[in-house]
Amino acid sequence: MTAHFPKKPTPLIELHDSVFERRQIRVWIKRDDLNHPLIQGNKWHKLKYNLQAAQKQGKSTLLTFGGAYSNHIAATAYAAKRYGFKSLGMIRGDELAGKPERWSPTLKTAHQNGMQLEFLSRQSYRLKASSDFLDELKQQHPDAYILPEGGSNDLAIKGFEPLMQELEQQSPNWTHLLTATGTGGTLAGLIKYAKNHPDDSTTRLIQGVAVLKQGEALLPQIRQWIDHKSAVKWQLLTQYHDGGYAKLSNPLHILKSQFESQHQIPLDPVYTIKMIHAFYQQVEQGAFPSGSQIILLHTGGLQGNAT
């Protein structure tokens, strides 16, 4: 079954708040959580060209890596089911092996969609990108198309080119673009395919908000993916992880509820809420000049709200 791309642009919705009026900025949220019913947001952009490559190579299985709360694991499991592949997830945390009652809703959903789960110790999981480890996996699973953690590779980066073209059509005068950042692939794709502002006197800025501790470790890989092809400025903000990956403090729980109530837009608890938090913190600090036109990218992951 061929992987067809969604053809309709996802909505770009303006957000209204008194603080935006005081700061004289305009803010939109790009509802990319609506681009696919189950392979949401950035996961669809990352997977679409990889699915085509797996089909062309005649592979029968999608093999990938992730933690217990990985949107990528959930999306890959559904994509495999939808497009005729088997799927195998190499999951961080061998303490979960043989204990499905301890699995997160994400893992349960992936398993229900046919993904075979193999649990690795944290020590073994750290080897996920090493050539020896990958060579061994290829020998054990010759029919598998191997996707890295988070689905971030060169084909995933290319998947963001149509999204940036779409944003350019919907909001040609945007000045700032923010996204949550896990493995760095989404941020790299946005940077690589962003164009300069039509008015050369306005410098555009793309910000990634790292959702895990020690996010600065992502920088070398991001630079490699964009290969110096950046027409805009960019930053990786590493101070808004709120305690680490899949950690959410009570203040951010409250912010999530307030945002969802005010704007009637659901957020996920792992990625997008931390981007929203970073955005509001910067607004309070006056980081966005008067006249800024800011886009917040909703990267999906709403399955993370399941309990």
Side-chain angles (χ1 to χ4, degrees):
M1 187 180 296
T2 303
H4 294 291
F5 302 172
K7 292 181 172 61
K8 293 179 67 175
T10 54
L12 185 69
I13 298 172
E14 186 162 10
L15 303 179
H16 298 281
D17 193 305
S18 58
V19 69
F20 303 160
E21 295 177 12
R22 289 199 307 271
R23 296 288 183 180
Q24 295 183 310
I25 60 177
R26 294 182 70 184
V27 182
W28 290 264
I29 187 165
K30 175 64 169 169
R31 292 293 307 275
D32 237 33
D33 56 308
L34 300 176
N35 66 352
H36 194 284
L38 288 166
I39 315 172
Q40 284 182 358
N42 63 335
K43 300 310 175 190
W44 176 248
H45 298 300
K46 288 181 173 184
L47 282 170
K48 58 188 179 182
Y49 290 126
N50 278 292
L51 289 169
Q52 290 183 343
Q55 289 169 335
K56 288 179 182 178
Q57 294 175 22
K59 300 295 186 180
S60 62
T61 301
L62 302 180
L63 186 158
T64 195
F65 306 84
Y69 298 93
S70 167
N71 290 334
H72 170 67
I73 287 292
T76 301
Y78 181 79
K81 179 180 179 181
R82 173 70 176 80
Y83 295 106
F85 296 96
K86 299 175 184 177
S87 59
L88 173 59
M90 313 297 285
I91 309 300
R92 180 180 61 246
D94 56 352
E95 70 276 6
L96 298 173
K99 297 178 181 177
E101 70 279 1
R102 295 182 58 189
W103 293 358
S104 66
T106 297
L107 294 183
K108 290 176 181 176
T109 299
H111 186 66
Q112 289 166 2
N113 281 321
M115 179 174 276
Q116 178 185 343
L117 304 178
E118 185 171 326
F119 295 91
L120 303 179
S121 68
R122 281 161 173 74
Q123 182 177 3
S124 296
Y125 190 83
R126 293 189 193 101
L127 302 174
K128 62 187 178 295
S130 71
S131 56
D132 289 345
F133 184 79
L134 291 174
D135 286 344
E136 186 175 339
L137 275 181
K138 290 173 184 176
Q139 291 178 1
Q140 293 174 354
H141 306 280
D143 294 327
Y145 183 89
I146 298 178
L147 288 159
E149 182 182 48
S152 295
N153 58 13
D154 289 338
L155 286 176
I157 307 308
K158 180 175 173 54
F160 289 94
E161 185 175 13
L163 174 61
M164 292 310 299
Q165 292 171 347
E166 194 174 297
L167 282 176
E168 206 61 47
Q169 293 172 352
Q170 291 178 317
S171 181
N173 293 315
W174 68 270
T175 59
H176 297 75
L177 174 60
L178 282 78
T179 184
T181 301
T183 54
T186 298
L187 177 59
L190 300 179
I191 296 165
K192 186 167 184 175
Y193 294 107
K195 293 183 178 179
N196 225 332
H197 194 280
D199 176 2
D200 289 339
S201 66
T202 303
T203 302
R204 285 174 160 172
L205 174 64
I206 297 179
Q207 293 180 322
V209 179
V211 303
L212 69 167
K213 291 181 178 178
Q214 300 173 332
E216 57 276 356
L218 301 172
L219 288 169
Q221 180 63 76
I222 292 170
R223 293 188 181 107
Q224 183 176 328
W225 277 323
I226 64 176
D227 191 28
H228 305 293
K229 294 174 182 174
S230 172
V232 298
K233 290 187 176 181
W234 63 277
Q235 296 174 324
L236 179 64
L237 306 178
T238 60
Q239 67 270 43
Y240 297 105
H241 56 72
D242 198 45
Y245 184 75
K247 302 284 181 64
L248 199 64
S249 64
N250 192 54
L252 261 66
H253 273 291
I254 295 172
L255 174 62
K256 182 175 183 292
S257 296
Q258 290 175 337
F259 183 93
E260 291 173 338
S261 176
Q262 179 179 356
H263 300 292
Q264 299 300 301
I265 295 173
L267 303 176
D268 83 281
V270 178
Y271 292 91
T272 307
I273 181 55
K274 294 185 179 180
M275 179 270 291
I276 294 292
H277 170 60
F279 164 67
Y280 275 106
Q281 288 290 304
Q282 290 192 95
V283 171
E284 290 181 8
Q285 296 161 11
F288 300 108
S290 173
S292 294
Q293 300 195 30
I294 304 159
I295 297 174
L296 310 174
L297 178 63
H298 195 318
T299 49
L302 295 178
Q303 56 83 27
N305 286 318
T307 56

